[in-house]
Amino acid sequence: MPDTADDSPVPGASATGAGLARRRRRRWAGGGALGAAVVLLLAGGVGWALYARLSDNITPDEAAARELARYDRERPTALVSGAQNILLIGSDTRAGSGNEKYGRDSGSERSDTTILLHLAADRHSATAVSLPRDLMVRVPACPRADGGRGEPAFAMLNHAFQLGGSACTIRTVEELTGIRVDHHMVVDFSGFKQMVDAVGGVRVCLKEPIDDKAAGLRLPAGRVTLDGEQALGYVRARKSLGDGSDTDRMERQQGFLGALVEKVRGDGVLMNPVKLYPLLDGATSALTTDPELASLRGLYRLVRGLRDIPTEHVQFLTVPREAYVYDSDRDQLVQPDAGELFARLRADRPVGVADSSPETGGKTPDDNSGKSPSAIPTYRGSTAAAHMCE
């Protein structure tokens, strides 16, 4: 058994934000964007100074690394060499500069966004699985910020981050899915806003006006350019937009971040250091990552293989879930669909996504009953080739 002596509290990162992008043309932006950034920033002495500063902006999550090392023998084994699984975490903390306006800082925070990103070993596909914050899961015993250790509990997924930070969330997700998490990133509110403002705002298309006092949004229908503050309200709003579900909110986040990437690529940002630096400064200042990723070079090594993935092979989906049997305001996994999804990702096998909007006849893509054993299971979701704004 691993050493569980509690010689120091090691809850791991506790930052905030929203975490993944999609785009609509031929190539995914991640590798190209970061690659261009590294080339530009390394060009000359001034470039090296800026590169070093941006790398220093990223916070290495040493506490989480120590905690995960204690439980290494209990963690899932990676089955496929070269495949990578990255957990993207955002929290609803109100601590930190600029975040106090979103509510009282109670001294704790919960994960507002949790996405498991699977990169295929051949780097021909990427699948991002959103895990609802209200999903009922088993949370293991984790160290608390006060130095004590919490007891195992059956609770909502976001409780894991509140209890023990990023390490506790990683262990919870690994136990839920059986998938080894290789890397993690945690992002905060202020960094998200800075990125949006650095590119001059991001355009979205609204089917109807928005008047949401809680989110601080009052917007007309049609094409609207959101600044950083508006964008944060837009991706975090839950009750006033769409059908009010967490699934709808997660899909909106993915769509917005796709529009952000499109703005970066289409507005000359990547080849203009004056525009690029504020964007990277905001992005890196918002990041807390495992130590291996805690530099621009580390991030580039991760994403450089992604630049050639066709956008139709970059998939976004929400884990199959339904209302929790004992509380309709909570979620539980739909089995066996969720288990099959996790098993296929663990084995680096393909999955499919399909739209379940009214235009498709109301089909529920994650109903895979009656399929042949050789069929690729299909889940509700979309690809990065989908257009957000026509």
Side-chain angles (χ1 to χ4, degrees):
M1 294 294 292
D3 176 14
T4 57
D6 195 15
D7 52 358
S8 64
V10 283
S14 55
T16 58
L20 182 65
R22 66 176 182 176
R23 57 172 302 237
R24 68 189 185 193
R25 294 200 179 107
R26 285 297 302 162
R27 301 296 181 196
W28 198 20
L34 198 50
V38 171
V39 170
L40 286 170
L41 291 171
L42 289 178
V46 175
W48 175 257
L50 295 179
Y51 173 89
R53 175 177 171 178
L54 292 173
S55 283
D56 288 344
N57 281 347
I58 305 171
T59 302
D61 199 352
E62 302 284 359
R66 291 194 299 270
E67 175 73 356
L68 294 173
R70 293 183 178 195
Y71 288 90
D72 190 64
R73 284 179 290 175
E74 293 183 3
R75 298 178 64 198
T77 301
L79 299 182
V80 180
S81 176
Q84 293 274 289
N85 298 291
I86 301 96
L87 195 66
L88 309 172
I89 306 170
S91 88
D92 60 3
T93 183
R94 274 45 170 185
S97 176
N99 291 330
E100 64 279 354
K101 68 179 68 177
Y102 302 108
R104 182 175 61 87
D105 176 16
S106 62
S108 65
E109 58 277 342
R110 299 189 182 190
S111 52
D112 192 58
T113 302
T114 305
I115 298 173
L116 181 63
L117 174 63
H118 174 77
L119 307 179
D122 62 9
R123 295 301 188 267
H124 290 166
S125 66
T127 301
V129 181
S130 292
L131 302 172
R133 60 186 180 182
D134 294 340
L135 186 66
M136 299 300 295
V137 298
R138 183 185 179 279
V139 178
C142 295
R144 300 191 305 260
D146 63 7
R149 202 167 194 93
E151 295 294 325
F154 188 67
M156 294 186 298
L157 175 60
N158 64 2
H159 175 71
F161 197 77
Q162 179 188 34
L163 174 64
S166 53
C168 193
T169 300
I170 291 167
R171 292 179 58 211
T172 299
V173 170
E174 288 185 337
E175 183 169 322
L176 176 72
T177 65
I179 296 171
R180 175 87 173 204
V181 173
D182 302 294
H183 300 289
H184 70 279
M185 301 180 186
V186 189
V187 192
D188 72 18
F189 288 164
S190 60
F192 175 80
K193 294 186 297 181
Q194 288 175 37
M195 286 187 284
V196 174
D197 286 334
V199 298
V202 174
R203 187 175 66 181
V204 298
C205 291
L206 304 177
K207 295 181 179 179
E208 54 189 39
I210 297 175
D211 189 358
D212 186 331
K213 293 182 180 179
L217 286 179
R218 189 169 185 178
L219 303 169
R223 296 177 181 238
V224 181
T225 298
L226 305 181
D227 62 22
E229 191 72 34
Q230 293 170 322
L232 183 61
Y234 178 74
V235 299
R236 297 190 70 243
R238 184 173 181 178
K239 295 182 179 179
S240 63
L241 299 181
D243 59 11
S245 69
D246 211 30
T247 296
D248 185 84
R249 186 178 71 102
M250 288 184 288
E251 291 173 351
R252 191 183 334 120
Q253 290 173 351
Q254 293 170 352
F256 177 84
L257 290 168
L260 171 59
V261 172
E262 192 70 19
K263 178 65 178 292
V264 170
R265 289 182 61 85
D267 204 31
V269 174
L270 296 180
M271 293 302 143
N272 185 335
V274 175
K275 293 183 178 180
L276 180 63
Y277 182 79
L279 176 65
L280 289 176
D281 190 40
T284 54
S285 297
L287 279 180
T288 298
T289 76
D290 58 275
E292 188 176 343
L293 294 186
S295 68
L296 281 184
R297 192 176 299 277
L299 290 174
Y300 178 61
R301 281 198 299 265
L302 174 67
V303 303
R304 64 186 174 186
L306 305 182
R307 71 190 83 184
D308 294 326
I309 299 180
T311 52
E312 61 268 23
H313 293 167
V314 180
Q315 302 181 128
F316 300 90
L317 61 98
T318 298
V319 66
R321 96 285 186 272
E322 62 190 359
Y324 179 48
V325 64
Y326 298 114
D327 186 344
S328 60
D329 290 331
R330 305 288 180 259
D331 292 324
Q332 65 183 24
L333 296 179
V334 172
Q335 297 294 6
D337 286 358
E340 181 173 13
L341 170 64
F342 298 147
R344 294 187 73 91
L345 295 180
R346 188 164 56 246
D348 199 31
R349 299 178 65 192
V351 300
V353 297
D355 184 15
S356 61
S357 64
E359 288 79 4
T360 63
K363 177 187 176 184
T364 304
D366 48 21
D367 179 8
N368 294 296
S369 58
K371 63 181 181 300
S372 68
S374 62
I376 296 176
T378 302
Y379 302 88
R380 171 176 173 165
S382 62
T383 72
H387 291 202
M388 182 184 178
C389 219
E390 295 293 348

